[in-house]
Amino acid sequence: MKEYELFINGKFIPNGNREMIEVLNPATEEVISKVPKATVDDVDAAVDAAYEAQKSWAKVPPIERAGYLMELAQLVKDNAELFAKTNTEENGKMLCQSTDEAGWLSEYIIYFAQMARHMKGEIIPSDRPNENILLYKMPIGVVAGIMPWNFPLFLIGRKVAPALIAGDTVVLKPSSDTPNGCYEFAKLVEQSSLPPGVINVVSGSGSVVGDALSGNPKVAMVSMTGSTDAGKKIMARAAENITKVSLELGGKAPVIVMDDAKLDETVEHVFNSRMINCGQVCNAAERVYVQEGIADAFIEKITRKISEAKYGNPLTDAGADMGPMINRAQVEHVDELVQSAIAEGAKVVCGGKPAQIDGKGFYYEPTLVVNCKHEMRIMREEIFGPVLPISTFKTLDEAIEKANDCVFGLTSSIYTQNTDVMLRALNEIHFGETYVNREHFEAFQGFHAGVRQSGIGGDDGERGLDEFLETHVCYVDYDMNVQG
Ligand code: NAD
């Protein structure tokens, strides 16, 4: 069994008699590794190291920082197989999906390395005759990167790559369910020529390690991806020092299927948007509103698709559509929502219960729930599992109103061939992202951000990079009469 160590200031810190966390393979419930429970003192040491390192890292020209990022990206590529296997073992996603995710990590690092020569400030004309106003874009300082378990590799990229190219340093905190990939990444950082302290890794609970990071006055920004509940706690803790937060939180993405939607393609996209990663994706299709004229045909086709979907051990059963869920608590949460829907009058068409393979594993049957009403918990709370609830509607107004009537506001989608309907929806749906006639899945160069309780700030693209920079405005008076 692997045992990992905290990574602070370029060195792994021996565990000694430190308390350890056992990490399980969710497919088999076997203990696959132990990782250290960092203390508040460890967190402070990691932040101090990042704080000191940032002073000289900020002075390294961006193109040289890009060189370090390219070196890291190459190391990730060289170890892609190890990352994929580690990810599947601790997270339970299918091996092909872990392989994709390892690829996204290296590609995302390269994408931000390529920003080195594109970062720019502004020069603004002044109201005064002999003055320029200069807007410098400066590094923000130390970034605490607090991560969830559902994309443990890709999220390393989202926290590290924009921070480093901007001139910031990072303390990463992986989820206790999936810390192994992050420590494998730390091993590559140790091997690389990156200066010590630029990237640090500390593991432990959110309530101790995440809390200590969020409340540390030397942390300039907390970039957290995770649940809305944890996001609220982080925001409150960060408020003590007016520390900036960028929070990517939960979602309850509505899918609107209009009568004129292309049926087969729509079924395929909705299925993929729900079932990938066993439904554990922030932008997953969480609730479907289908127009009455197409409802029967849509339900018939998606029933067939979901009832044929198979779960299996993601390391050994390459033919399965999905692996297990992350842990027992998530299985219980999903089942509770399904049971609540039944009690409220909905009907389970297929699936509907927890499952195991050889008496082990945190599986849940791919599930379709129909006759759902907009008011039901299953249509309002984040499911985060392989369960698709469906409701019907009569008019576009009704669908838009129901879509928007939600505490979350991350992603959404609409399926229609009518451009007027599409444009009205784009103007009236109040979400951070909307997909038209395609599955829910964002691009590096977009901007992944939620409204309402789905978050504040955002990731990806130039706007995402901007989150990791601060603006320094300088008023420069010059002598108009000077002669050269
Ligand atoms: P979680 O909120 O339980 O944990 C996320 C991270 O926050 C973990 O590292 C955890 O230890 C830490 N944390 C928890 N409490 C904390 C506290 N009080 N102070 C500081 N840190 C704390 O989330 P999860 O279960 O790991 O992930 C699933 C959630 O993440 C879902 O709600 C999903 O929608 C969301 N998510 C959002 C996005 C997005 O881009 N919007 C992407 C992926 C996942």
Side-chain angles (χ1 to χ4, degrees):
M1 186 199 314
K2 285 191 174 170
E3 199 169 298
Y4 293 99
E5 296 168 335
L6 301 176
F7 183 64
I8 298 176
N9 207 19
K11 289 194 188 73
F12 286 100
I13 313 294
N15 286 323
N17 50 12
R18 199 183 278 288
E19 264 191 86
M20 303 294 280
I21 300 169
E22 291 188 338
V23 180
L24 298 187
N25 176 339
T28 60
E29 301 182 40
E30 276 168 295
V31 179
I32 49 173
S33 71
K34 288 187 182 177
V35 299
K37 254 189 201 177
T39 61
V40 173
D41 286 346
D42 296 322
V43 172
D44 291 347
V47 174
D48 285 347
Y51 189 81
E52 288 308 314
Q54 201 267 334
K55 292 176 188 167
S56 34
W57 183 246
K59 293 187 182 134
V60 176
I63 195 66
E64 283 181 36
R65 291 183 213 141
Y68 290 104
L69 283 174
M70 293 301 281
E71 183 190 354
L72 270 183
Q74 189 57 49
L75 285 167
V76 172
K77 275 189 186 177
D78 294 345
N79 291 276
E81 234 174 278
L82 167 80
F83 275 113
K85 186 162 177 275
T86 304
N87 198 28
T88 287
E89 261 176 6
E90 63 180 341
N91 171 279
K93 70 182 62 175
M94 299 306 297
L95 195 54
C96 58
Q97 289 167 10
S98 287
T99 305
D100 286 348
E101 196 181 334
W104 301 340
L105 172 57
S106 50
E107 290 304 317
Y108 199 82
I109 294 173
I110 293 169
Y111 172 76
F112 275 97
Q114 288 169 342
M115 295 263 192
R117 291 195 170 107
H118 297 276
M119 294 192 288
K120 48 188 177 295
E122 287 174 50
I123 302 173
I124 298 173
S126 168
D127 294 347
R128 297 185 177 190
N130 51 338
E131 185 177 75
N132 282 150
I133 303 172
L134 311 182
L135 256 65
Y136 288 88
K137 286 290 184 177
M138 309 295 282
I140 199 165
V142 175
V143 173
I146 302 181
M147 300 187 287
W149 47 259
N150 64 337
F151 287 94
L153 292 183
F154 177 54
L155 267 292
I156 296 172
R158 269 206 175 139
K159 304 302 174 201
V160 163
L164 263 58
I165 201 68
D168 305 329
T169 54
V170 181
V171 180
L172 288 175
K173 189 204 103 49
S175 161
S176 300
D177 284 308
T178 54
N180 298 353
C182 194
Y183 278 116
E184 292 297 339
F185 181 77
K187 287 184 190 171
L188 301 186
V189 175
E190 190 202 27
Q191 279 173 37
S192 76
S193 40
L194 207 68
V198 172
I199 298 176
N200 308 272
V201 179
V202 287
S203 46
S205 70
S207 55
V208 175
V209 175
D211 180 78
L213 281 169
S214 309
N216 189 310
K218 287 183 179 166
V219 169
M221 176 167 86
V222 183
S223 168
M224 178 268 196
T225 306
S227 64
T228 296
D229 281 351
K232 286 179 185 176
K233 288 182 188 144
I234 287 170
M235 206 168 175
R237 188 74 160 97
E240 290 170 20
N241 297 304
I242 317 290
T243 300
K244 180 178 177 180
V245 293
S246 179
L247 304 174
E248 298 302 311
L249 307 176
K252 186 72 190 167
V255 177
I256 299 176
V257 181
M258 303 299 296
D259 277 346
D260 68 345
K262 290 183 180 169
L263 187 58
D264 289 338
E265 286 93 326
T266 304
V267 167
E268 196 65 29
H269 292 319
V270 174
F271 173 83
N272 289 332
S273 301
R274 171 73 282 183
M275 296 299 167
I276 190 167
N277 206 22
C278 203
Q280 303 167 117
V281 186
C282 60
N283 58 13
E286 278 268 332
R287 50 188 170 126
V288 174
Y289 299 98
V290 55
Q291 203 165 15
E292 284 179 355
I294 198 176
D296 287 348
F298 177 82
I299 289 169
E300 190 194 321
K301 289 209 176 217
I302 200 139
T303 301
R304 196 171 319 137
K305 191 92 191 145
I306 293 180
S307 46
E308 284 169 3
K310 291 191 177 57
Y311 57 84
N313 183 328
L315 268 186
T316 55
D317 185 356
D321 295 283
M322 67 195 77
M325 301 195 58
I326 189 69
N327 56 34
R328 195 180 306 281
Q330 280 299 119
V331 173
E332 286 168 2
H333 160 76
V334 167
D335 197 46
E336 205 231 318
L337 278 181
V338 171
Q339 296 313 319
S340 79
I342 296 169
E344 289 173 293
K347 182 177 159 209
V348 170
V349 180
C350 58
K353 52 183 191 305
Q356 294 199 308
I357 296 176
D358 298 330
K360 296 281 179 196
F362 308 127
Y363 297 91
Y364 200 86
E365 295 178 348
T367 299
L368 182 68
V369 188
V370 296
N371 298 348
C372 293
K373 298 275 176 289
H374 176 64
E375 298 69 33
M376 292 178 178
R377 283 183 58 204
I378 202 162
M379 296 294 279
R380 307 189 75 80
E381 296 176 25
E382 191 178 41
I383 304 170
F384 227 58
V387 174
L388 187 69
I390 300 187
S391 183
T392 56
F393 69 91
K394 284 187 183 12
T395 65
L396 180 61
D397 280 344
E398 183 191 343
I400 291 175
E401 196 183 322
K402 285 177 170 167
N404 286 342
D405 177 31
C406 180
V407 293
F408 299 105
L410 190 59
T411 67
S412 53
S413 63
I414 181 159
Y415 292 84
T416 179
Q417 295 183 67
N418 182 326
T419 47
D420 288 334
V421 167
M422 184 260 289
L423 283 169
R424 240 203 83 199
L426 293 185
N427 279 286
E428 293 180 24
I429 288 183
H430 185 204
F431 281 78
E433 275 165 31
T434 303
Y435 298 91
V436 180
N437 296 328
R438 53 154 289 186
E439 83 284 11
H440 299 203
F441 193 67
E442 67 270 22
F444 294 179
Q445 67 273 36
F447 184 55
H448 183 56
V451 299
R452 295 189 287 273
Q453 293 190 22
S454 285
I456 186 166
D459 286 317
D460 306 338
E462 287 180 22
R463 283 179 182 73
L465 176 60
D466 215 40
E467 294 288 334
F468 291 80
L469 292 160
E470 63 189 18
T471 305
H472 182 191
V473 187
C474 304
Y475 296 82
V476 183
D477 186 90
Y478 61 93
D479 186 347
M480 287 177 82
N481 299 317
V482 74
Q483 297 295 324

